[in-house]
Amino acid sequence: GFTCAAANEMEAERFQELAKVMKKKNVKLEEDQLSCLVKMVTLHGIPKDLDSYPKDLLLFLSSSDYAATGSCRQYFANIGKANLDVLQRESSQRKQLLLEALACLKIPGTQVNEENAEILGRLVCDLGGEYIRSSGGNLLKQLNQCESFLPDQEEAIRSVISSGNTTFGPLVAWSAFTLNELSGLIPVFDHSILQKIPKNALTLWLKNFAHDSPLSREQLATIVEELLPTRHKRADGCPPGKQITETVLNDDLMPIWYTPEELHACLKNVSLENHLSQILTYSFTTQQLAVLKKNLDETYPDGYPERLFPKLGPLVSFITPEDISRWKITSADTLAALLKDQPPDDQASAMIKRYIGLGNALNVTALNAIGMKYVCLLNANELNVIDSNSLKLASLNLSACSQLAKDILYAKAKRAFSDQHYLPAYYGLIEPYLGGAPGADLRDLSKDNVNMKVSTLAKLRTDSLMSLTLSEVQGLLGMNLGDLEKWQNKFPIREWVQRQKQSELDKLHVGLTGGTQEGYMNIVIPKFQPPSSAPLGTVAMTLHLLPALLISFLMMSVLS
């Protein structure tokens, strides 16, 4: 819950104590929170005990800032243990950290040894494919911890694994324990790798280790696909010994025992309802899931009963708008259960419209279900029926919404939080809705030490931002004013900067350029000329004489 607005209320020393407690309690902080934290912690200079602060804080400092605490090797060892994903994958900050780390460790080429790989830690996740190939198996331990990979990294990992020249040996000799050690890399393995791993090793891994792996149900399904016969025989009936019993339904390895055709044949006359929640956690392939959906369609030809909706899980992606039109979605809890698995927008929109069409209210539960991903699918009529008070407990993400939607929701949020307008907490509550705020409200906020992020400033209504003076923007940003330089070439910050006098921008001492020079005036030319009733010749003559007229006007002004 920490915000920059709250930071204003604390003394610098007290604030440093708070930051140290955050480390002890292992508090997870986001980029904006850390950016604010580092500004407050270093307000009176860089502390000499940076190891006492959260490791993620170091992402916003340099190795030279850390010099009073320790060596550059120590600095990058800490960076390697920090949450690098706080910074965007391709950000200049993250690229610079990697370059400095390689320089500090004196790695001139693309080969990284095990000792340096250990120091780099999560920074290994940003090394290109050429480093992964050159380093052989030295990087696999660290790569195993990465959240995602770029295509050239994936290709390099597959190349290293396929070579067999690693401590894990050739693929044909792998065991379930080997797979467990490299479980984070399994999503990168393609068919050519998986087919060489002994099938009994894959089966044992699924049975004993899959529960504790970071892999999703969909990723586990790729292994199941490898274990199923490549040629599926048509099943005239359920094969002997494959009848689906209570024991089979309780076995999470059920997917590897049935081809899609066998599953369809053996599910006849089997009721899935009581086991649906459980079996849909199993790693069924896409074709097997389609069979399960078909079984439900045959069981409930007039539409699924509402009690089934919370159990659909991965089957939601197979649902059509036509299916949804037959459903009775009568409660916000049911809507929330359906949207929990994040169906595609067209399905989500059909579910929301069906829910509203049946006369249900967009209460707090419904709004929280819709909020972070689907609120922008609501039209103006649907937004207007939202009760303002429901916003008090809802979390909405309006970044992709139309300007009309932002305007409607801002007005509602302002009413909802009006009783807290003079409290420090007000800004944190109203911030998600500021994309719809008029200039007058922003001018009021500029007097409240809110420390607005520049990313929030850039998402304001363009007309509202353009109406703000330099001192008002300074008041809004507070301690984040220095970040304005990074955004000055992006819309709409660039347009706002161009409207300011350069001499005034210089007084901020934050490196802003592109303002109006003294003695010049900005003339904004509309993209489309308004139609004129004057004859074309008259218009042409006026344009031709315009420079001379302007010079005459300026000369008269000077002489007078």
Side-chain angles (χ1 to χ4, degrees), residues 60 109 213:
F60 297 84
S213 80

Side-chain angles (χ1 to χ4, degrees), residues 238-249:
C238 187
K242 289 211 169 186
Q243 286 75 17
I244 294 179
T245 62
E246 192 84 9
T247 305
V248 171
L249 289 168

Side-chain angles (χ1 to χ4, degrees), residues 69 71 82 88 95 127 141 220 237 265 283 295 390 408 480 485 501 527 535 549:
T69 303
S71 68
Q88 289 184 3
K95 287 178 180 175
L127 288 173
K141 179 184 171 185
L220 291 171
S283 43
N295 175 272
S390 297
I408 291 170
N480 295 318
E485 184 192 8
K501 288 183 179 179
K527 288 184 180 177
L549 292 169

